Amino acid sequence: MMITEILNISTDFDSSIEKALSWLRAGMPVVFPTETVYGIGGGLFDLNAVEMVYKIKGRDFKNPLSAHISNINDAKMLCRDIPDEFYILADKFLPGPLSIVMSKRSEVPDLVTGGGDTLSIRFPANDIFLELSQKFGQPIAATSANKSGKPSPVIAMHAYDDLQGLVPVILDAGKCRYQIESTVISLVDEPKLIRPGAISQKVISEALGREIKSLNTQIAVFDNKKSSLENSSFRIICFDNFDSIIDFCKDKSKNDILIFSRENIHDIFSVQKTEESSFFSDLRDAEINGVQYLLVEKDQYVMNSEVLRHRLKIK
């Protein structure tokens, strides 16, 4: 097992970037910040590095990675039949928390795309990533820097907790700006929302001047029976109202329960204010605190949140 070094980018920017670059050039994936969550990635054309990203994360090889770029022209190098909608969205949102899926060029390794013929383009609005990518000189095939089945990391220590001993360096830039993943939209055939994220479906529709379809195809946190956080120790259960939550709690220890609600409090069980922006951090904290059941009230805030409804699989 290797030693994983956390590099504080604020105290020594240049040497931290250079150390991460040396590992990338040697074919080793590194962890870096973006404006959404921390990512793990390696050179897109380095098949050994790409394979390591899958293995380190424990990710199914059929579940594609995203091409993280630092120049919009890289999209032309990686994708074919680029539609006008791409340039509309790029002009308004990129760099930013939007991933755009298009048809890939044959030069893009099938390993990156899970064997499929499409590729997700991600152009993060994060100066540290952009500096790293520009100096590296090629797109980076990447995904969130957590073990599969764990919440996406929004601080460097989350990534360290999951990937310690598996990656050589983690570039620590503090807490990510959005703390939720990028929105994913496909422009293959017609625009389709694949995953809600930091940019809302409404805003994207307004930018394109048309309504876009929504497809709930991404793996979500909750499947109504058990948590899909298979590496986690707790279950997430959603309830229509607070009374149902309290009913469920009657034979449970207060130390085993954490409730997410915006509108209710309780004098025995811990109730935490539901927040879209801190959702992944809150899941991490719940696990650290030994919570057995995370109970979510489907209140107005949750039902109005594209992100929370998607991650919790609420229709």
Side-chain angles (χ1 to χ4, degrees):
M1 183 177 289
M2 71 178 67
I3 296 174
T4 298
E5 188 175 6
I6 298 179
L7 305 176
N8 190 328
I9 204 77
S10 63
T11 58
D12 203 340
F13 184 93
D14 291 336
S15 69
S16 296
I17 292 291
E18 287 303 319
K19 187 170 287 190
L21 277 171
S22 69
W23 285 108
L24 281 175
R25 290 166 180 155
M28 284 294 298
V30 302
V31 172
F32 53 83
T34 75
E35 78 280 38
T36 56
V37 299
Y38 276 77
I40 176 175
L44 184 137
F45 297 104
D46 184 337
L47 294 184
N48 288 331
V50 172
E51 184 176 357
M52 287 184 70
V53 172
Y54 281 102
K55 288 182 176 180
I56 290 170
K57 186 178 172 78
R59 187 179 183 89
D60 190 322
F61 281 93
K62 295 180 181 178
N63 192 0
L65 307 178
S66 293
H68 286 51
I69 65 174
S70 55
N71 187 313
I72 205 68
N73 290 324
D74 287 344
K76 301 175 186 177
M77 175 182 73
L78 299 172
C79 297
R80 58 179 173 81
D81 303 327
I82 298 178
D84 293 339
E85 287 91 344
F86 171 76
Y87 297 103
I88 294 171
L89 294 175
D91 183 62
K92 187 169 181 63
F93 299 117
L94 300 184
L98 180 65
S99 299
I100 302 176
V101 177
M102 296 180 288
S103 298
K104 79 175 185 74
R105 290 190 177 276
S106 58
E107 294 85 352
V108 175
D110 289 341
L111 182 61
V112 173
T113 63
D117 58 2
T118 61
L119 176 67
S120 174
I121 297 293
R122 175 90 164 88
F123 188 176
N126 181 279
D127 290 341
I128 294 153
F129 168 78
L130 295 177
E131 180 81 5
L132 181 71
S133 177
Q134 287 163 6
K135 287 189 172 181
F136 184 47
Q138 68 168 289
I140 294 175
T143 180
S144 56
N146 54 284
K147 278 289 190 180
S148 289
K150 298 276 267 184
S152 295
V154 301
I155 59 173
M157 190 54 65
H158 292 166
Y160 183 82
D161 288 343
D162 282 7
L163 307 182
Q164 177 186 3
L166 301 174
V167 293
V169 296
I170 296 172
L171 292 175
D172 183 1
K175 187 172 287 187
C176 296
R177 176 183 173 188
Y178 291 101
Q179 302 180 60
I180 54 174
E181 302 111 325
S182 63
T183 301
V184 181
I185 184 170
S186 171
L187 297 181
V188 179
D189 297 327
E190 61 177 339
K192 297 179 288 289
L193 182 74
I194 295 178
R195 181 182 71 191
I199 301 174
S200 72
Q201 180 177 355
K202 179 182 178 182
V203 169
I204 294 173
S205 294
E206 289 173 350
L208 294 178
R210 59 181 289 189
E211 288 295 320
I212 58 173
K213 293 181 179 179
S214 178
L215 301 178
N216 189 8
T217 59
Q218 195 74 10
I219 295 173
V221 165
F222 182 65
D223 64 4
N224 292 319
K225 295 290 185 182
K226 60 181 181 179
S227 169
S228 67
L229 300 170
E230 66 268 15
N231 295 323
S232 139
S233 57
F234 59 85
R235 289 179 60 193
I236 302 174
I237 307 175
C238 293
F239 292 86
D240 290 330
N241 55 65
F242 198 76
D243 288 342
S244 298
I245 290 177
I246 299 307
D247 220 31
F248 176 87
C249 293
K250 284 180 179 176
D251 60 346
K252 307 290 190 304
S253 166
K254 66 178 182 179
N255 296 324
D256 293 339
I257 298 289
L258 176 62
I259 301 170
F260 277 5
S261 174
R262 297 280 290 194
E263 302 168 2
N264 292 283
I265 59 173
H266 197 270
D267 56 358
I268 296 176
F269 295 100
S270 297
V271 180
Q272 187 164 315
K273 186 177 180 181
T274 315
E275 285 289 354
E276 183 181 277
S277 63
S278 63
F279 181 66
F280 291 129
S281 285
D282 292 339
L283 292 183
R284 293 264 176 182
D285 290 343
E287 188 167 45
I288 290 171
N289 293 329
V291 167
Q292 297 298 309
Y293 299 96
L294 181 60
L295 311 179
V296 181
E297 182 186 10
K298 295 191 290 186
D299 53 26
Q300 186 175 3
Y301 178 82
V302 170
M303 298 309 291
N304 287 339
S305 168
E306 293 176 11
V307 171
L308 291 177
R309 284 177 58 208
H310 174 268
R311 303 309 189 270
L312 296 168
K313 271 196 172 177
I314 298 170
K315 299 297 184 183

